[in-house]
């Protein structure tokens, strides 16, 4: 790998679907790794709960997704939270509006779920929300900023911890600018930068088109793949090397990584395990005697 060793790799999270749960057995994930479980239309509650249970049983931290627009009623939200609580997978959740253009019930966005009061009632202690460094194809920039500010404020009012996980991208500059703007607007919660794990170029481009992620020739070249040669694979090495070099804690705040496992959980976890292994251990503080000797 070409990304320099960096502490970012030590607290990275990953994302799976319900059907990915069997792959957890062969994944090289460190104990305590946070594993997001998505809320897809094609997977019912039982599949998502089973995946969250499997995550917890392997010493990992389940973070189930709640897709606001897929929820048909408050009772369905309550049922979902109760089912997750039964497998000890409700302390941390990720709330997002979701793909449907029209809500299936009373929750048009993540904020409406947060304001329902049901999260805290069912034992949720931390709520993840989405961030969009490159914008959203269907939502204006100011609307996105207002939503981010309102969601973090609502969570603070309910004494719930907040964290932001961003959409993935292939360019570092928009991420750094977005982080600076986020902090300038007073949003000081931890941020996880979305990163695609190693995957085929065609697959990466397919997901990029789906989510409105920029893939110009210049961006692709900097990331490490060519738009004219689509048969290979690409990893996040260059992106993360540039990101690590550009992060300034005083300007960008608390930052970690979140890996989208487009190329499979095993490939992503193997890459991440290798990256974490290259990070040098923290230096121990010198003893008082050593400090005295050093003058």
């Amino acid at each position: 790998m070409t990304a320099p060793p960096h502490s970012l790799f030590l607290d990275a999270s990953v994302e799976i679907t319900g059907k990915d749960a069997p792959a957890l057995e062969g994944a090289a994930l460190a104990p305590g790794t946070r594993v997001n479980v998505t809320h897809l239309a094609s997977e019912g509650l039982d599949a998502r709960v089973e995946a969250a249970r499997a995550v917890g049983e392997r010493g990992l931290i389940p973070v189930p997704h709640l897709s606001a627009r897929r929820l048909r009623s408050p009772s369905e939200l309550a049922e979902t939270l109760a089912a997750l609580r039964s497998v000890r997978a409700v302390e941390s959740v990720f709330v997002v509006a979701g793909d449907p253009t029209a809500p299936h019930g009373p929750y048009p966005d993540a904020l409406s779920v947060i304001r329902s009061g049901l999260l805290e009632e069912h034992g949720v202690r931390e709520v993840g929300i989405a961030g969009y460094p490159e914008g959203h194809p269907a939502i204006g920039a100011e609307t996105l900023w207002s939503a981010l500010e309102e969601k973090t404020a609502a969570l603070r009012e309910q004494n719930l911890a907040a964290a932001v996980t961003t959409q993935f991208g292939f360019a570092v500059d928009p991420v750094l600018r977005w982080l600076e703007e986020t902090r300038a607007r007073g949003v000081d919660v931890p941020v996880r930068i979305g990163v695609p794990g190693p995957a085929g170029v065609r697959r990466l481009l397919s997901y990029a088109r789906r989510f409105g992620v920029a893939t110009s020739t210049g961006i692709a070249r900097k990331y490490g793949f060519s738009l004219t040669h689509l048969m290979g694979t690409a990893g996040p090495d260059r992106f993360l090397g540039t990101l690590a070099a550009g992060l300034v804690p005083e300007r960008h705040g608390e930052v970690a990584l979140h890996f989208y496992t487009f190329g499979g959980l095993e490939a992503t976890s193997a890459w991440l395990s290798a990256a974490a292994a290259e990070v040098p251990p923290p230096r121990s503080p010198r003893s008082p005697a050593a400090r005295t000797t050093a003058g």
Side-chain angles (χ1 to χ4, degrees), residues 32-246:
T33 298
R34 300 169 67 86
V35 180
N36 287 32
V37 180
T38 59
H39 184 169
L40 302 179
S42 58
E43 295 181 338
L45 177 59
D46 289 347
R48 303 198 309 276
V49 170
E50 174 59 22
R53 182 195 62 77
V55 169
E57 286 185 347
R58 285 163 176 78
L60 310 169
I61 300 174
V63 185
H65 285 205
L66 300 172
S67 177
R69 293 175 189 160
R70 296 193 194 286
L71 296 166
R72 293 182 291 270
S73 65
S75 61
E76 182 178 357
L77 174 56
E79 177 189 356
T80 299
L81 293 168
L84 292 169
R85 190 171 193 172
S86 72
V87 296
R88 300 182 179 181
V90 77
E91 187 167 322
S92 296
V93 300
F94 182 83
V95 185
V96 66
D99 292 336
T101 54
H104 298 171
Y107 305 113
D109 50 30
L111 184 60
S112 60
V113 171
I114 292 168
R115 286 177 170 165
S116 71
L118 290 171
L119 300 181
E120 186 177 14
E121 182 180 321
H122 283 81
V124 174
R125 295 293 175 264
E126 180 187 62
V127 178
I129 55 178
Y132 300 92
E134 295 186 26
H136 190 288
I139 306 174
E142 277 308 312
T143 300
L144 288 174
W145 284 120
S146 295
L148 182 63
E149 292 165 348
E150 289 174 358
K151 285 182 284 190
T152 52
L155 291 169
R156 187 167 53 249
E157 290 168 4
Q158 296 181 45
N159 294 315
L160 295 174
V164 177
T165 297
T166 73
Q167 181 58 275
F168 74 94
F170 301 117
V172 170
D173 287 347
V175 172
L176 295 176
R177 288 195 298 267
W178 180 87
L179 281 169
E180 288 200 46
E181 178 71 9
T182 297
R183 304 317 186 189
R185 288 174 176 262
V187 178
D188 59 358
V189 303
V191 172
R192 291 183 175 272
I193 301 301
V195 183
V201 173
R202 286 186 183 275
R203 181 179 290 270
L204 290 175
L205 292 175
S206 173
Y207 279 102
R209 285 192 294 270
R210 175 179 173 185
F211 295 114
V213 173
T215 55
S216 70
T217 300
I219 289 173
R221 187 183 303 114
K222 285 184 179 180
Y223 191 80
F225 62 82
S226 169
L227 297 182
T228 58
H229 297 88
L230 306 180
M231 299 307 294
T233 61
D237 305 67
R238 292 187 188 181
F239 176 93
L240 291 175
T242 306
L243 176 65

